[in-house]
Amino acid sequence: MMNDTITTKTDMLTSALKNAGLRLTLQRIAICELLAATDKHPTAQEIHEALKPKYPTLSLATVYNTLETLVDLGLINSLGSAGDDAVHYDADTSPHVNLACTSCHRVIDLPSIHVQALKNEVAQSSGYQIQGARVLYYGLCPDCQKRRAAAGQD
């Protein structure tokens, strides 16, 4: 079932790129496959580094252009920096909270019924047709808290 979900998400992303007028190259398909298959929140540089061995002609510009198009289409979210001066991307556009560690820069998802309720409240009270939202909290993850405590830092 998981592979079906990844395939469906990949197909949705690639179809959107094609409909937006972009040529569906093997590199762009690989970017979509990576985004569909991960629960991580990669940067453009991380995507480029992950795919470069298999696609040596892949340029960082292609990665950025593909990501920007997917963001503009509302199919992925641009989360901004996690304290590392790099934009992280999230292919999960369902209402949820993102937590970013300012030390190790890992970003995780936290499902919350409150985010969906807030989306509904905002839509109802404003009349807007909500297309997306980002809730991003910054702090220290439990692993980094333990490392700092062990090192005697507070």
Side-chain angles (χ1 to χ4, degrees):
M1 186 64 179
M2 184 60 111
N3 282 341
D4 290 343
T5 303
I6 293 169
T7 301
T8 301
K9 180 77 173 177
T10 300
D11 290 346
M12 182 182 67
L13 296 174
T14 55
S15 293
L17 290 176
K18 187 175 182 180
N19 291 338
L22 293 180
R23 214 166 39 94
L24 273 188
T25 62
L26 292 176
Q27 291 91 344
R28 285 196 178 109
I29 293 168
I31 293 166
C32 292
E33 288 172 342
L34 186 147
L35 289 168
T38 188
D39 62 352
K40 303 209 180 325
H41 303 79
T43 65
Q45 186 68 40
E46 289 169 340
I47 292 169
H48 183 255
E49 288 170 8
L51 297 176
K52 189 77 171 163
K54 188 171 180 181
Y55 302 96
T57 61
L58 175 65
S59 71
L60 190 54
T62 295
V63 175
Y64 274 111
N65 291 338
T66 302
L67 292 170
E68 286 177 29
T69 300
L70 292 171
V71 168
D72 290 346
L73 294 170
L75 297 173
I76 65 171
N77 288 324
S78 170
L79 300 178
S81 171
D84 56 358
D85 295 325
V87 176
H88 291 254
Y89 295 89
D90 189 354
D92 179 0
T93 57
S94 67
H96 65 278
V97 174
N98 290 112
L99 298 163
C101 180
T102 55
S103 181
C104 69
H105 313 298
R106 185 177 64 178
V107 181
I108 64 166
D109 293 333
L110 178 67
S112 171
I113 58 169
H114 302 291
V115 176
Q116 181 64 46
L118 181 59
K119 175 187 170 195
N120 294 341
E121 177 186 335
V122 169
Q124 186 175 22
S125 65
S126 70
Y128 273 66
Q129 179 182 356
I130 305 299
Q131 296 173 331
R134 289 174 286 209
V135 179
L136 179 61
Y137 286 92
Y138 295 92
L140 286 177
C141 71
D143 291 341
C144 288
Q145 290 175 52
K146 289 177 193 168
R147 275 194 287 282
R148 285 194 177 189
Q153 300 172 336
D154 288 306

